[in-house]
Structure formats: structure tokens, C-alpha cells
Amino acid sequence: MTFKELNIIPPILKALSKENYTAPTPIQEQSIPAVLAGRDLLGCAQTGTGKTAAFAVPIIQLLNEQKTTPNTGRRIRSLILTPTRELAIQISDNIKAYSQYTDLRCTAIVGGVSQKAQERALNQGADILIATPGRLIDLINQKRIDLQCVKILVLDEADRMLDMGFMPGIRKIVSHLPKTRQSLLFSA
């Protein structure tokens, strides 16, 4: 099977080719059509099998197809929660690579660093937000972030986040999201 057979749009196919992706892995082959169809999904696969692309590629395609109105500005339409700063930055780098031929923007907000640069990035607008729960809750409490337009929620390394005690924080974050959304959970 090829990514083209999964009905991936040309700008993403071009980016995947540039990143030397030749064929989808089993988790990608099974996840991409389900996400594109708008279904909720629980995906499990070993580390290194391409889980990030399994959710990022269809999210980029879905958001790229949903044109925003010029007067509303760029709003966060997909939220990806992850347990660590390193993973958030890695996911952000991957999404930037996969979406390089679209006009979508993503940004990562993580703890352990000054939030000023992250606030500036949020003020410029982002379609996809990758966040660690603690920093996201800080920004929610400071009323510096609006999650009312989120259409797709991803909990990456969901099992690890639960093991690390993030459940109360995740519940708080979810309470700020629209009730109608697509939810994707991925774990190793």
C-alpha cells in the first residue's frame, strides 16, 4: 500500500516524499483512513512504528480542507497533549515537516522554559497546538489561550500520561474543549 492509496492530498504526499517516507506502516495504514473519516480512535503500536504520522498526517489533511474565514483569525483547531517537553517538540517538528507545503501553523507549548516566546507564537495564531498538560493549564488559568475551536483532540502516550498522574489535568483541559470533537488516543 502507498500513502497515495490512502487518499492523502498532494501537498502532504510531497512532504512525506521529501522526508523519505515510502510506504505507510501498519499503524498508519489502519489509523489514517479512520481519522480522515472523522472517527474516534484508540491506537496502540510500539515505539518507532510511526504513530505520530498516523495521527498528524490525517489531522493536517482535515484542517487543510477546512478553510477558515479571513476575519476570524487563526484559531487552534487541533490539540495534541503529550507527557513530556521532548516529545512535544518532536511532534511539533514532525508536523512542521509534514505540513510544509500547506499554510497550516503549529506551535508547541511546554513547561520548563519561559512562556513569553510561547505566548508570542500563540498570539500569531496556530491551527495545531502541541502541549504538555501543566503549561497548558497555566495558560488556561491565565486566560491566555482559547480552546473553543478545537475539533480534534489527541492524547499521545496516553497510558504514560495516566501513569504519571496527569488525569486531573487532562480532565480540566477537556472541560475547556467543545463537547463535539474527534478524540484520538495513542499509546505504545
Side-chain angles (χ1 to χ4, degrees), residues 96-145:
K96 287 175 183 172
Y98 306 150
S99 66
Q100 64 186 296
Y101 299 110
T102 71
D103 72 348
L104 296 176
R105 280 193 219 154
C106 80
T107 195
I109 58 170
V110 296
V113 296
S114 169
Q115 77 179 39
K116 293 296 180 195
Q118 295 172 8
E119 287 177 29
R120 281 193 298 277
L122 288 169
N123 288 338
Q124 292 174 357
D127 300 286
I128 302 170
L129 179 66
I130 303 99
T132 54
R135 177 54 55 95
L136 182 56
I137 290 169
D138 289 345
L139 291 168
I140 289 170
N141 289 339
Q142 297 168 28
K143 301 193 185 323
R144 295 196 179 273
I145 197 159

Side-chain angles (χ1 to χ4, degrees), residues 9-156:
I9 58 175
I12 300 172
L13 289 174
K14 183 177 177 183
L16 291 173
S17 177
K18 184 177 177 187
E19 297 297 313
N20 296 316
Y21 283 64
T22 54
T25 64
I27 187 72
Q28 294 163 355
E29 194 174 309
Q30 294 170 23
S31 299
I32 290 172
V35 177
L36 287 174
R39 294 196 296 265
D40 291 342
L41 181 70
L42 171 59
C44 285
Q46 291 180 315
T47 301
T49 57
K51 287 187 297 293
T52 300
F55 62 79
V57 166
I59 287 172
I60 293 164
Q61 181 158 323
L62 289 169
L63 297 184
N64 189 65
E65 291 171 349
Q66 301 168 357
K67 298 302 176 194
T68 59
T69 57
N71 297 339
T72 61
R74 201 175 288 265
R75 308 287 298 267
I76 299 164
R77 296 181 286 149
S78 181
L79 172 63
I80 301 167
L81 292 176
T82 188
T84 67
R85 164 183 35 217
E86 295 78 17
L87 187 55
I89 292 166
Q90 178 185 331
I91 292 168
S92 177
D93 290 344
N94 287 336
I95 290 176
K96 287 175 183 172
Y98 306 150
S99 66
Q100 64 186 296
Y101 299 110
T102 71
D103 72 348
L104 296 176
R105 280 193 219 154
C106 80
T107 195
I109 58 170
V110 296
V113 296
S114 169
Q115 77 179 39
K116 293 296 180 195
Q118 295 172 8
E119 287 177 29
R120 281 193 298 277
L122 288 169
N123 288 338
Q124 292 174 357
D127 300 286
I128 302 170
L129 179 66
I130 303 99
T132 54
R135 177 54 55 95
L136 182 56
I137 290 169
D138 289 345
L139 291 168
I140 289 170
N141 289 339
Q142 297 168 28
K143 301 193 185 323
R144 295 196 179 273
I145 197 159
D146 178 13
L147 300 174
Q148 288 304 306
C149 292
V150 171
K151 303 282 184 229
I152 306 168
L153 170 66
V154 178
L155 298 181
D156 191 28

